[in-house]
Amino acid sequence: MAAYAVHAGGTVPARASQIDIPLADVNAGVCCFGNQANYWAQLFTAIAPTPVSLTFYVLPNSPTLDFYLLVTSISSSQTSFGPASVLFESPLITAANFYPSTDSLGYKTTNVSLAGLVLAPGEQYFWILDPFVINNGIANNGQMLAVFRDQIIYPQGELFAFPPTGLGLAADLNQNLATRGTALNLAFTMDFASAVPEPSTWAMMIVVFACI
């Protein structure tokens, strides 16, 4: 499906670019989040200003686990490395948001619109799977599995794990993740769009008259 963007001149297909770390039956591992970890934070590097959507893969082993997707800026210094400002928060994601399984491992495809988010190309950000903010910080008693891929596939990013703080205790989203790198990436696809404005009616008329 083509990505579309709305401009003053009309709605036209956008030129899309993509970060793609594919799901695969080989060289893939799994781990969990929910009551085993507060968050998974995937570092990525923006390749265009306007992200359109994020697709990732989960294997639910509890139908009760709900979570959010966050996109944050990062704080990077000699003393602190981790999420900073929350730039985007999805609606609540539940099992109803999962697409049917499309691979032999049984992973469910989840696609989230990133409409309205603007990033700086070349800058690094986190997208975060966040099951810990539901019910005012009370952890859900469920887990969900996310696919890992080797960091060699995408050296511009890395997966960071927030350690558990105990069930019922909300984690600090701003904690230092400098020692929490996994040398892995989650499997995901992030689509970006760079809009191509449609010529306005007046501009088209000027071209026509110039040719007469």
Side-chain angles (χ1 to χ4, degrees):
M1 182 187 303
Y4 283 79
V6 178
H7 310 279
T11 302
V12 297
R15 293 177 180 170
S17 51
Q18 187 180 81
I19 300 170
D20 185 30
I21 305 171
L23 180 66
D25 290 348
V26 295
N27 299 323
V30 296
C31 196
C32 45
F33 74 98
N35 62 4
Q36 295 296 313
N38 296 330
Y39 307 95
W40 288 115
Q42 172 68 49
L43 186 71
F44 70 96
T45 303
I47 58 175
T50 310
V52 175
S53 64
L54 175 68
T55 300
F56 54 95
Y57 309 93
V58 294
L59 181 61
N61 61 358
S62 169
T64 62
L65 179 62
D66 301 330
F67 62 97
Y68 293 94
L69 170 75
L70 308 179
V71 177
T72 75
S73 59
I74 68 170
S75 170
S76 182
S77 69
Q78 291 182 340
T79 59
S80 175
F81 172 77
S85 300
V86 176
L87 306 177
F88 173 88
E89 181 176 326
S90 73
L92 183 64
I93 298 171
T94 68
N97 299 108
F98 302 153
Y99 291 86
S101 175
T102 56
D103 79 298
S104 62
L105 297 177
Y107 286 97
K108 309 296 185 182
T109 301
T110 306
N111 181 269
V112 179
S113 170
L114 300 177
L117 179 62
V118 177
L119 304 176
E123 293 294 320
Q124 291 188 308
Y125 300 88
F126 283 115
W127 65 263
I128 297 173
L129 297 176
D130 173 15
F132 225 78
V133 298
I134 315 299
N135 300 324
N136 295 321
I138 300 174
N140 290 281
N141 292 317
Q143 299 180 21
M144 199 165 292
L145 303 178
V147 179
F148 289 172
R149 294 302 302 270
D150 194 286
Q151 193 184 14
I152 295 174
I153 296 173
Y154 181 58
Q156 298 87 356
E158 185 176 2
L159 178 64
F160 291 82
F162 286 75
T165 58
L167 293 180
L169 298 176
D172 180 5
L173 190 63
N174 298 312
Q175 64 185 281
N176 185 2
L177 299 185
T179 63
R180 298 291 174 178
T182 64
L184 298 167
N185 286 295
L186 289 176
F188 72 97
T189 300
M190 184 175 288
D191 287 300
F192 292 79
S194 180
V196 181
E198 180 181 278
S200 68
T201 302
W202 280 108
M204 294 177 67
M205 290 178 65
I206 290 171
V207 171
V208 170
F209 283 120
C211 294
I212 296 176

